[in-house]
Amino acid sequence: MAEELKSLDDLKSAVSGIPAAVAEAAPREPQRDALGRAYATGKRKDAVARVWIKPGSGKVIVNGKEMAVYFARPVLQMILRQPFQVAGVEGQFDVMATVAGGGLSGQAGAVKHGISKALQLYEPSLRGALKAAGFLTRDSRVVERKKYGKAKARRSFQFSKR
């Protein structure tokens, strides 16, 4: 095997033989389709959202309906706006999303996850802010399955002495 490295200078001289492209991480390239859109899939609980973003006026369409119609609760609309606020690009992108599975809350979380992933694919410089806010991480919490011998996932049947 090679000689033992005893100092940082020895390590630098040993590493200098590695090509610069490998040693230094290449900057991320924007990933856009022929129509200038970025695509990403977002997930939350049982909901899966397919999201396309493109430059526009800030219009959000979910399953063919306006965001305010599909997600009637203000809290769910706020969840969908969070990635744009954190990235500082409110009103600059149009969103077209199709979402299936789960309930409204899970679907809103899935669309938010998809928007965040699509934003960082469209503009890689936004990745730092979105990652720091935790929007690129898939929330892996799902409903626990029911076990045999139990009333629900963990709840036991009522105890009776007789």
Side-chain angles (χ1 to χ4, degrees):
M1 187 149 171
E3 61 190 70
E4 194 173 317
L5 303 174
K6 296 187 178 182
S7 70
L8 286 176
D9 294 327
D10 294 341
L11 181 62
K12 286 179 186 173
S13 63
V15 172
S16 63
I18 298 174
V22 175
E24 195 176 308
R28 295 177 183 268
E29 291 292 320
Q31 296 179 13
R32 302 176 189 152
D33 64 6
L35 300 174
R37 303 175 302 183
Y39 168 80
T41 304
K43 296 182 179 182
R44 171 80 172 96
K45 293 186 177 180
D46 273 342
V48 179
R50 298 182 302 162
V51 179
W52 291 267
I53 66 163
K54 63 179 181 179
S57 59
K59 190 168 58 171
V60 179
I61 304 291
V62 181
N63 288 352
K65 299 178 181 176
E66 288 286 332
M67 173 183 66
V69 175
Y70 194 84
F71 294 114
R73 283 185 270 165
V75 172
L76 300 180
Q77 295 174 25
M78 179 200 70
I79 288 173
L80 262 61
R81 284 192 291 268
Q82 282 177 336
F84 298 113
Q85 292 169 346
V86 167
V89 292
E90 276 186 285
Q92 296 179 25
F93 289 97
D94 286 345
V95 177
M96 206 288 279
T98 58
V99 62
L104 280 180
S105 178
Q107 288 184 351
V111 174
K112 170 183 158 182
H113 185 227
I115 289 172
S116 302
K117 285 172 59 176
L119 273 174
Q120 67 102 21
L121 289 174
Y122 189 89
E123 188 56 56
S125 63
L126 302 176
R127 180 175 171 83
L130 292 168
K131 188 157 180 65
F135 292 164
L136 298 178
T137 306
R138 193 248 202 250
D139 189 350
S140 60
R141 296 175 296 170
V142 293
V143 176
E144 192 174 344
R145 75 172 190 88
K146 184 196 177 300
K147 280 81 170 185
Y148 58 86
K150 297 280 188 180
K152 299 190 328 186
R154 297 188 178 196
R155 170 132 172 49
S156 298
F157 295 111
Q158 183 172 344
F159 175 74
S160 173
K161 197 175 243 186
R162 292 186 227 286

